[in-house]
Amino acid sequence: MKCKSLLLVLLWAFIFCQSTSVIISISGRTIHQEHITYRLAIDEAYGKDQSGTTEVVLQLIMQELREVIADKERIYITDSMTVQEAMRIDRETKAPGTLAKVKAVFTDHHDYLKHYVRPVLIEKSLQEEFFFDTLYQMGPYRIINEAFARNASKPSSPDSMLKILEPDNEQLTYYENAAEKGIGEDKYSYFFLKEEGEKKTVYLVPKMDYTEWLHTEALKVPVQVHDEELMEKLLTRTHNSEFWQKILSK
């Protein structure tokens, strides 16, 4: 009986060590088996039954890279903000059944906030900062302002980023409401409307690419995979991706 009790204790100790041992280190942040287990379960709740450990680890690395980048950009997420985001997700979800399955993965609500809600909020906050702060969009913002100041007359050296659109009625309504009499913007562009008689033309400059910026910042962050076998699997899985090969080989 004592032997069985000892074996049970040893088994639980092994499971605990496996769940707390560091698998990957990312600039002071760490990924453990617990993170992988939760991510696999979340993918299964979404119906992604084919997700494997390698795929999930890549998701988690990118998730932690976003956290590091958010800290660098001084985007701070409080517990209160995470709770508010969870409430927003509850209100706005178009798949309540799937969300219920995701929540069922977690026995502790704090784990749900940490492993599911917070990553959603971090990505959302990074995108909002990048797309709507002219610090990141200085080039496109300068081009649209210069074009607006010269009343859309052609510059001596036309900038390829400035696009001219002949909007249909639906597009025209959107741009009229968004730009009014000045420069408007949405998530992906700056624009203004010019009227010449009955003709209305949209002048538009696309904003900088978010993924390109995110990858550039991510490549500055040290990533260390402590499991050699996992490292080989990750390199094989991403052999066609220059970005991932650089991330994993630093």
Side-chain angles (χ1 to χ4, degrees), residues 44-94:
E44 186 176 348
Y46 273 93
K48 300 176 183 177
D49 298 328
Q50 302 304 314
S51 291
T53 300
T54 306
E55 193 67 37
V56 161
V57 167
L58 293 173
Q59 293 177 35
L60 290 170
I61 291 173
M62 201 65 233
Q63 180 176 301
E64 295 304 321
L65 285 169
R66 291 190 192 98
E67 288 271 5
V68 174
I69 294 167
D71 282 344
K72 180 185 173 185
E73 301 301 314
R74 303 188 179 213
I75 299 171
Y76 302 120
I77 305 299
T78 65
D79 291 343
S80 175
M81 292 166 67
T82 307
V83 170
Q84 290 297 316
E85 179 65 10
M87 294 169 65
R88 183 200 67 78
I89 291 171
D90 284 345
R91 287 194 310 271
E92 298 180 10
T93 182
K94 293 180 173 61

Side-chain angles (χ1 to χ4, degrees), residues 106-215:
F106 304 92
T107 55
D108 187 329
H109 186 64
H110 292 291
D111 286 338
Y112 166 70
L113 295 176
K114 175 183 175 183
H115 293 281
Y116 182 76
V117 178
R118 182 181 172 88
V120 171
L121 184 54
I122 286 287
E123 171 68 354
K124 178 182 172 185
S125 300
L126 274 172
Q127 288 202 26
E128 286 180 355
E129 185 89 358
F130 178 78
F131 284 116
F132 293 104
D133 190 327
T134 51
L135 176 66
Y136 305 93
Q137 304 296 336
M138 197 172 297
Y141 189 67
R142 174 185 57 78
I143 292 168
I144 198 70
N145 270 286
E146 288 177 356
F148 185 74
R150 62 178 181 263
N151 196 26
S153 61
K154 291 184 179 179
S156 54
S157 55
D159 197 304
S160 60
M161 289 184 70
L162 181 64
K163 301 181 184 299
I164 301 173
L165 306 178
E166 301 295 336
D168 59 30
N169 289 336
E170 185 177 345
Q171 291 172 323
L172 181 59
T173 299
Y174 170 77
Y175 286 115
E176 282 181 329
N177 291 335
E180 296 182 348
K181 298 297 182 182
I183 295 172
E185 71 174 307
D186 54 26
K187 188 174 182 179
Y188 300 108
S189 62
Y190 295 107
F191 48 82
F192 65 87
L193 198 65
K194 183 179 179 182
E195 298 185 40
E196 294 177 311
E198 295 185 358
K199 183 181 178 182
K200 296 181 179 180
T201 306
V202 173
Y203 290 79
L204 177 148
V205 177
K207 292 184 177 180
M208 302 299 290
D209 184 83
Y210 170 73
T211 300
E212 184 179 334
W213 169 79
L214 188 69
H215 283 190

Side-chain angles (χ1 to χ4, degrees), residues 6-38:
L6 179 59
L7 285 171
L8 187 60
V9 170
L10 290 172
L11 177 61
W12 277 108
F14 174 77
I15 293 171
F16 177 78
C17 289
Q18 287 292 98
S19 64
T20 58
S21 61
V22 176
I23 298 173
I24 299 170
S25 301
I26 303 173
S27 189
R29 304 184 64 85
T30 55
I31 296 174
H32 305 265
Q33 182 58 48
E34 176 190 48
H35 298 88
I36 296 172
T37 301
Y38 276 138

